[in-house]
Amino acid sequence: MTQSSVREAAPGAAGGGAGVVDGGEGQSGRRRARPGRGRRFMKWSATLMAVLIVGTAGAGYLYYRHLNGNIKHDDLNLGDNKVAEPTPNAAGQTPLNILLIGSDARDTKENQKLGGARETFGTPARADVQMLLHLSADRSNMSVVSMPRDTLVQIPKCTDPDDDEVYPASNGRVATNQSLRHGGPGCTVATWQELTGIHIDHFIMVDFAGVVSMADAIGGVPVCVDANIESRDSQGHGSGLKMEEGTHPVKGEQALQWLRTRYGFEDGSDLARAKAQHMYMTSMVRELRENATLSNPLKLRRLAEEATDALTVDPGLDDVKKLFELSNELRKVNPKRITMATMPNRYVGAQVEPTEDAEQLFRLVREDIALDGKDKKKAKTEEKVSDDPAAADGEIAVQVQNGTGSDTLGAVSGRANTVTGLLQEEGFTQAVADQSTLLSEDRTVVRYPSAELEGDAQRVAKSLGIPLSSVKRSTEVTGVTLVVGADWREGTAYKAPKKDDRMPDADKALNGADDTACMHVNPAFTF
């Protein structure tokens, strides 16, 4: 199968391939499920398993229709802003980005029994688990990035296309798990895209009951603890997980308990819970690849049944053929090239916020750079010169701003004046320093508002030795604007910093082939 097959219509498929397609109703004609009005969803843990096995137990056209009828779907992106799709590589291949969402819905008796918290029955669900799965363009590697549920983010304005209800942007930063309450999973997608600048092709969402049914169907996933654990404190907080030291297969409700455990793992934070989820997910992938019992047709049929019934997806994945094509793409990656990571963050009270390293991690995903550092060396690409001719230097108006401040260092006084003087010496007589604005930019950048000024912006950059990759189009400026960044705090010659493609916090990442990983148990929760 070619790289583009997940974006094209599969032969005989009613809704096309597994790429992003216009929504509406799927083959089954079922209405979209929405938080607060019908079945909602939980737990990423079943999602990768679902796409790896769904479609392999087909039993004729009627059964195919039946499985399609199980699948629920919702709109992909409810935000106003769209992020451009990544540029294909030299072979014409593009990466795939899939947001895995788990909700804490208590909208059914089964979800209420599994999730507890009776006072929350029927309330809008939250996106308590969020993981971005990035499949490289050449299908050689996979990266999975978790965002803690209490990460402080700005949720953008989202509009429900069903009834045109508008959910205003959040008033300041709020916990990211609230995004699901702003119209559905499409707002969670919009929130991720706004924060990361990563184009998201699909989402997959599962609820509490879906985790249990899928875990039962696969027959158990091995997990490890370094001591006896009982996740329950004196106030009754905890998942209820009780397990002896060592490695044990978990399924059903115990699998859900593992994925929800915070009290008892390491420091009791959501970061420790994400680590346990990574361990479960990588173990699950290994189990699916190695477990010979999955060749049993009856077992595969049950897996297909449970998988399709557990999922809510975007319209681009709303039938079995599309999911099957996606599963074929995911199967191409060896577990040794799967990297599980958590977004770098720092505490803000009891919550967290992204750090500068988080942007570095997002950039690696945007640029399709493997987190394990094992990419083949790519040929150096020539910088693209604009087709728009530049005006004469003396006719180009340039505004220079001081962006040399950082989290640890204050802005360098007079830096905008100094660089303005350099431009004027180069013949840019209309260059002026903006004394009213102090910014914080890691790297020096030249911004321009529209295509007809791109050539002028590149000419300004070239005159100072700034690489053309640092010339960016932006609606935040009204003319050519040079922001002197923290990488040019002194001197008259700009030296572009060497590009660092190393993954931040690499020592905390989990490799998909690591079957020795074991969760550390907090001594206060052992028995």
Side-chain angles (χ1 to χ4, degrees):
M1 185 172 67
T2 65
Q3 150 69 18
S4 62
S5 61
V6 295
R7 296 181 184 275
E8 298 172 355
V20 178
V21 298
D22 289 337
E25 297 186 3
Q27 262 188 328
S28 64
R30 295 178 62 175
R31 292 294 297 165
R32 304 183 306 119
R34 301 221 62 82
R37 41 179 123 142
R39 180 160 184 171
R40 302 183 194 88
F41 338 89
M42 174 63 197
K43 292 301 180 196
W44 65 268
S45 60
T47 60
L48 185 58
M49 172 162 44
V51 297
L52 283 170
I53 51 84
V54 74
T56 60
Y61 179 70
L62 291 179
Y63 188 61
Y64 168 76
R65 288 287 301 270
H66 166 71
L67 292 179
N68 279 346
N70 285 345
I71 302 172
K72 297 170 288 295
H73 57 92
D74 213 328
D75 295 276
L76 177 63
N77 185 357
L78 304 186
D80 291 339
N81 297 327
K82 311 300 178 186
V83 174
E85 295 186 24
T87 303
N89 62 16
Q93 302 166 308
T94 52
L96 276 174
N97 295 307
I98 305 165
L99 189 62
L100 310 179
I101 305 172
S103 85
D104 66 352
R106 273 86 166 179
D107 58 338
T108 66
K109 288 183 179 180
E110 187 175 9
N111 277 331
Q112 179 67 58
K113 178 182 177 182
L114 295 168
R118 294 178 181 176
E119 70 279 4
T120 65
F121 184 81
T123 58
R126 294 169 297 188
D128 267 9
V129 178
Q130 300 175 32
M131 292 186 179
L132 182 67
L133 185 156
H134 172 82
L135 184 62
S136 67
D138 63 5
R139 304 307 189 245
S140 67
N141 66 88
M142 184 189 302
S143 305
V144 180
V145 179
S146 290
M147 186 189 297
R149 66 176 185 173
D150 290 333
T151 300
L152 294 171
V153 297
Q154 177 81 39
I155 298 175
K157 183 186 79 170
C158 292
T159 304
D160 184 343
D162 278 355
D163 54 15
D164 294 327
E165 181 175 357
V166 175
Y167 295 81
S170 60
N171 184 16
R173 297 189 305 172
V174 298
T176 185
N177 67 347
Q178 294 186 29
S179 60
L180 195 58
R181 295 180 168 182
H182 288 232
C187 197
T188 305
V189 168
T191 301
W192 267 80
Q193 291 197 156
E194 290 279 335
L195 176 67
T196 67
I198 298 169
H199 173 81
I200 295 177
D201 299 284
H202 303 293
F203 74 79
I204 301 174
M205 189 154 56
V206 187
D207 63 5
F208 288 142
V211 173
V212 172
S213 63
M214 290 298 300
D216 282 345
I218 196 174
V221 174
V223 294
C224 176
V225 287
D226 66 0
N228 296 347
I229 182 174
E230 184 168 9
S231 178
R232 190 73 73 193
D233 66 10
S234 57
Q235 283 77 46
H237 299 135
S239 70
L241 177 70
K242 188 171 185 179
M243 182 183 294
E244 294 183 354
E245 176 184 350
T247 300
H248 309 277
V250 294
K251 60 181 180 178
E253 187 170 354
Q254 190 178 36
L256 178 63
Q257 290 173 335
W258 175 274
L259 296 165
R260 297 185 64 211
T261 294
R262 180 160 62 92
Y263 294 93
F265 284 156
E266 299 186 350
D267 62 356
S269 70
D270 200 47
L271 304 179
R273 171 160 46 195
K275 184 176 178 180
Q277 292 168 348
H278 291 167
M279 288 185 183
Y280 182 95
M281 190 173 184
T282 55
S283 181
M284 177 187 65
V285 172
R286 292 193 301 271
E287 194 73 8
L288 284 166
R289 292 175 69 100
E290 299 169 5
N291 191 342
T293 61
L294 293 182
S295 62
N296 184 314
L298 293 178
K299 189 166 188 176
L300 279 174
R301 184 182 180 109
R302 183 185 176 197
L303 283 167
E305 192 77 37
E306 298 292 356
T308 53
D309 194 52
L311 301 181
T312 297
V313 299
D314 67 276
L317 293 176
D318 65 357
D319 73 34
V320 171
K321 281 187 177 291
K322 297 174 186 178
L323 289 168
F324 184 54
E325 289 179 349
L326 177 58
S327 76
N328 283 336
E329 296 297 286
L330 296 173
R331 281 187 179 126
K332 295 176 182 178
V333 181
N334 188 297
K336 292 180 180 179
R337 297 298 313 278
I338 298 175
T339 304
M340 312 284 293
T342 298
M343 178 197 74
N345 59 82
R346 57 175 162 252
Y347 279 103
V348 179
Q351 296 174 297
V352 299
E353 66 180 5
T355 63
E356 294 75 15
D357 282 345
E359 172 52 32
Q360 165 75 346
L361 185 63
F362 298 149
R363 180 185 68 79
L364 295 180
V365 175
R366 285 196 303 268
E367 298 181 8
D368 196 25
I369 297 171
L371 298 188
D372 62 8
K374 296 179 181 178
D375 270 338
K376 294 179 181 179
K377 287 190 176 180
K378 300 177 181 177
K380 188 175 181 180
T381 56
E382 293 185 6
E383 292 186 321
K384 183 180 178 182
V385 179
S386 174
D387 295 331
D388 171 55
D393 292 352
E395 297 176 3
I396 299 176
V398 188
Q399 189 175 62
V400 183
Q401 297 177 339
N402 187 344
T404 56
S406 68
D407 286 346
T408 56
L409 296 172
V412 178
S413 178
R415 194 62 184 151
N417 284 329
T418 299
V419 176
T420 298
L422 294 176
L423 281 171
Q424 291 176 343
E425 290 175 7
E426 291 291 329
F428 294 88
T429 55
Q430 294 193 46
V432 295
D434 178 3
Q435 307 287 2
S436 64
T437 304
L438 286 179
L439 303 174
S440 178
E441 291 282 350
D442 291 336
R443 295 193 177 189
T444 298
V445 62
V446 181
R447 297 190 172 104
Y448 64 96
S450 54
E452 60 269 18
L453 291 177
E454 182 180 23
D456 292 356
Q458 288 193 354
R459 174 64 192 143
V460 170
K462 186 177 180 180
S463 71
L464 296 175
I466 299 169
L468 297 189
S469 59
S470 295
V471 178
K472 308 288 186 182
R473 184 170 178 172
S474 172
T475 57
E476 296 177 359
V477 297
T478 57
V480 177
T481 304
L482 167 62
V483 183
V484 185
D487 60 343
W488 197 14
R489 291 175 60 86
E490 59 184 11
T492 57
Y494 179 75
K495 294 182 180 179
K498 291 184 178 180
K499 192 175 181 181
D500 183 5
D501 289 341
R502 292 173 297 178
M503 184 184 79
D505 295 340
D507 57 321
K508 299 178 183 178
L510 179 66
N511 183 272
D514 184 1
D515 59 2
T516 65
C518 207
M519 285 303 297
H520 175 62
V521 175
N522 187 317
F525 290 86
T526 192
F527 64 91

